[in-house]
Amino acid sequence: MATGTACTQATPSSTAAVAHAGTAYRDGWFGDGATRLHYVEAGQGPLVLLIHGFPSFWYCWIRQLETLRRNYRVVAIDALGAGASAQPAADAAYALPDMAATIMRLARQLAGSERFVIIGHDWGAALAFAMAQAWPEPVAGVVGIAAPPYNLFLDMIATDPAQQQRSAYVSAFRALTPARIAAEALAEQIARDAYAGLVERGDLTPAEAALFQATVGTAAALWGGTAWYRANIPPFDTIGAQHHWPADDAPLQMPALMVWGDADTVFEGHFPDAFAARHAGSAVLRLPGIGHWCMLEAPAAVNAALGGFIARSFGTGDQP
């Protein structure tokens, strides 16, 4: 199925991922040119929009799509630079306000006049929270998995030496060049490293791991993914109020949930408490022994939490 102003053929890896997911899933497209977004959807009902992080693509949500499509129209996008979506070369194309505006237009087109829920992981969580802060009216609820809101992240890396140490990779990403990516086969290496533990533990099958490697482990995907860092995270010692979006103190006016695995090493473990303190009325779900890929490592727990949260956000009670 095609939606939006242009329809383009999916990449081979995207086609393979949709085929692997099964006949319940449909391709969709929104926009064209440098802002074209690819998404995969299933189910009917109120809209639930899922946004992945880095390095990933829409398929990271397959365990959630399988459960949530029973009650909702679930749409998992390939964010700009990932999967079959556009991969513009210029870093400026990945500025958070512009990407958020494009995804919001997609969500409004899909949902019409109805409200919807946004769920994000990693960079997708930072983006989901920022969208909910910037345009609260259509957002019935927002969930962030394994990452803080964008503004909170900026505050952490500007002021917290421990988080600065954990986030040292950001400077490495900012310094990448296409020539180095190609010469050192960095895309293939980063993709392997990102998913090796999931495969070893059985959280991903070998066939699924091959899908991730084929989609994430390309030079274009690595350049597009790291462009998010170059466009939105300045050198840590230069971060100021002008970098926050939509505003440093922007509230979350709708139900908000943070899902956090306490074995995650990407962020300092105190950030969920900072999130809860900053956003009164929000909730935090802590998953003992779970790492950064909560939705793949603990799908049953994540799905149960999401099902209840989404139903309450839409005012329909608890659903699986």
Side-chain angles (χ1 to χ4, degrees), residues 254-295:
M254 68 295 295
L257 172 66
M258 170 65 66
V259 179
W260 169 248
D262 69 4
D264 195 337
T265 60
V266 177
F267 296 103
E268 283 293 297
H270 60 73
F271 96 76
D273 294 330
F275 167 79
R278 182 175 289 203
H279 300 290
S282 62
V284 175
L285 170 65
R286 296 178 181 270
L287 299 174
I290 299 302
H292 191 63
W293 298 93
C294 300
M295 66 281 198

Side-chain angles (χ1 to χ4, degrees), residues 100 104 108 128-139 245-247 250-252 254:
M104 182 57 70
R108 287 180 181 273
F129 283 128
M131 289 174 61
Q133 291 169 322
W135 300 286
E137 294 83 4
V139 181
W245 186 83
L252 290 168
M254 68 295 295

Side-chain angles (χ1 to χ4, degrees), residues 214-283:
T215 307
V216 176
T218 69
L222 178 56
W223 184 252
T226 55
W228 287 55
Y229 297 88
R230 293 188 296 272
N232 299 296
I233 303 180
F236 299 166
D237 60 355
T238 69
I239 293 174
Q242 72 275 19
H243 296 114
H244 290 80
W245 186 83
D248 184 45
D249 58 352
L252 290 168
Q253 302 177 31
M254 68 295 295
L257 172 66
M258 170 65 66
V259 179
W260 169 248
D262 69 4
D264 195 337
T265 60
V266 177
F267 296 103
E268 283 293 297
H270 60 73
F271 96 76
D273 294 330
F275 167 79
R278 182 175 289 203
H279 300 290
S282 62

Side-chain angles (χ1 to χ4, degrees), residues 6-85:
C7 180
T8 308
Q9 292 298 314
T11 63
S13 54
S14 172
T15 301
V18 175
H20 185 87
T23 57
Y25 296 92
R26 307 176 295 276
D27 277 306
W29 301 89
F30 179 79
D32 53 17
T35 62
R36 182 197 65 173
L37 293 180
H38 168 254
Y39 61 88
V40 172
E41 69 167 307
Q44 296 181 343
L47 176 66
V48 176
L49 186 69
L50 301 117
I51 310 173
H52 64 81
F54 171 79
S56 200
F57 76 122
W58 74 266
Y59 191 87
C60 71
W61 297 109
I62 191 62
R63 312 292 190 258
Q64 289 64 54
L65 292 168
E66 283 289 283
T67 295
L68 297 177
R69 68 184 176 89
R70 301 169 191 166
N71 298 302
Y72 305 103
R73 182 184 184 185
V74 285
V75 173
I77 72 167
D78 278 335
L80 194 68
S85 288

